[in-house]
Amino acid sequence: MSETSLLTSTPSIASVRRRAEGDSTVVTLDGEVDVLTAPRVSAALDLLTGTDRPDIVVDLRPVDFIDCSGLSALVRARRRAEQQQGRVRLVCRDDFTLRTLRATRLTQYFTILPDWPDPTA
């Protein structure tokens, strides 16, 4: 299974990578998803949610920090996927990120998984 980099490195975010796993596309965010990087993350997710019935899994496990701009990018992706009869799920187990998702009530709108199969396992 090959992984494709969607973005180049920036000081705030190490990478945004995607890989196909069955019918799903796994997008792994790494580093900080903040006001500086959220537009790029949103653009990358827009590419994937513009297709028919997208099934996107956003892996947030390597994320160090996410702010309201990053959350907005996730909400935008979810909305766009649903308009195409698709879905966006999140993989997250970081306490801070989970608290942020709960505080903003986004746990009501996203399926949040603690893990996702590792393609190298």
Side-chain angles (χ1 to χ4, degrees):
M1 203 168 310
S2 69
E3 230 174 59
T4 306
S5 178
L6 294 175
L7 301 176
T8 58
S9 294
T10 67
S12 292
I13 193 164
S15 66
V16 175
R17 298 178 314 274
R18 75 172 179 182
R19 68 181 185 270
E21 284 197 22
D23 293 334
S24 301
T25 300
V26 178
V27 177
T28 303
L29 305 181
D30 185 357
E32 297 179 9
V33 185
D34 58 18
V35 70
L36 296 174
T37 60
R40 288 182 172 188
V41 170
S42 189
L45 291 172
D46 280 357
L47 290 173
L48 300 172
T49 57
T51 62
D52 189 39
R53 298 184 190 276
D55 185 7
I56 311 299
V57 177
V58 180
D59 189 349
L60 298 173
R61 290 176 295 183
V63 169
D64 299 322
F65 174 79
I66 189 165
D67 71 3
C68 61
S69 300
L71 296 175
S72 179
L74 296 176
V75 170
R76 175 182 168 83
R78 179 187 174 273
R79 185 173 11 112
R80 287 176 49 89
E82 285 186 344
Q83 289 172 348
Q84 299 293 331
Q85 287 71 53
R87 64 182 174 171
V88 174
R89 295 172 285 168
L90 306 178
V91 179
C92 180
R93 59 180 166 210
D94 176 71
D95 288 336
F96 176 78
T97 304
L98 288 170
R99 278 195 315 269
T100 301
L101 292 169
R102 283 187 202 106
T104 56
R105 298 185 181 175
L106 291 179
T107 54
Q108 297 175 29
Y109 301 100
F110 286 99
T111 298
I112 301 175
L113 309 165
D115 285 299
W116 187 258
D118 182 352
T120 60

